Amino acid sequence: MKILIVEDEIALAESIENYLKQEGYLCELAYTYAKASEKVNLYKYDCVIVDIGLPDGSGLHIIKELKKNKSNAGIIIISARNALDDKIDGLEIGADDYLTKPFHLSELNARIKSLIRRRSFNGSNEIICNEITINPDNFEVFINNQMLTLTKKEYDMLIFFLSNKNRVLTKESIAEHLWGDNVDLLDSYDFIYTHIKNLRRKMVDKGGNDYIQTIYGTGYKFNINI
């Protein structure tokens, strides 16, 4: 899961980033409105954590940009105690949740997990798709009740596919989801084929179906109707 953290307090932003990385998330930072605006218009995220009071603009405008772009990202506002009106405005224009500073990072993590479950997996604590069962809290994957051992990138790819089942995903969108900002440093997308080949093999070896279809010239689709 890829998260954008929009926060001008550098120490707090880095603290959130370090904590969430340990929880298995891919995180990107934006310390200003300008940088956050650039990112939400270039990249896709599963969740955006946004501070309302930025030095060069309002986080409310970031929320508006996400909605204008028809983003599927969950949005969590983090704001000062005296910003009640801004929090209400944020919720009215499309934010999903808010936290008042100071807050415990464990609570933020719980809010993120709950939000992603609601938006992508109907609020379930388990992700179940045919013979596939995933426990996101423990990063466990089972095929026909047999545990599947995946690398971090393979796990993230499977979650991304299941969040977008039956949709065609371009190689660019998959690479961006797995590598975030670092995708611009890649020479090619050949690594995607390698990860998909390994994921397919591991699933089939446990008796699972090969749901991943290659859409030549475009990318891949996780077709659960085969």
Side-chain angles (χ1 to χ4, degrees), residues 39-91:
K39 284 181 173 293
V40 299
N41 282 287
L42 286 176
Y43 306 113
K44 294 181 180 179
Y45 299 93
D46 297 293
C47 181
V48 177
I49 301 167
V50 57
D51 184 11
I52 298 299
L54 300 171
D56 56 339
S58 171
L60 294 175
H61 293 300
I62 298 299
I63 299 172
K64 289 178 180 178
E65 288 186 53
L66 287 163
K67 295 304 174 181
K68 180 182 176 182
N69 295 338
K70 295 181 170 56
S71 170
N72 291 322
I75 303 169
I76 299 177
I77 294 171
I78 53 176
S79 64
R81 288 188 182 278
N82 60 356
L84 177 60
D85 290 342
D86 284 341
K87 287 185 288 191
I88 292 173
D89 289 343
L91 292 171

Side-chain angles (χ1 to χ4, degrees), residues 101-115:
K101 299 178 184 177
F103 52 83
H104 292 289
L105 294 176
S106 57
E107 182 180 2
L108 175 61
N109 184 38
R111 300 284 187 101
I112 292 169
K113 288 181 178 180
S114 176
L115 176 55

Side-chain angles (χ1 to χ4, degrees), residues 27-38:
C27 298
E28 297 179 12
L29 295 176
Y31 301 122
T32 64
Y33 168 81
K35 190 63 177 178
S37 178
E38 176 187 353

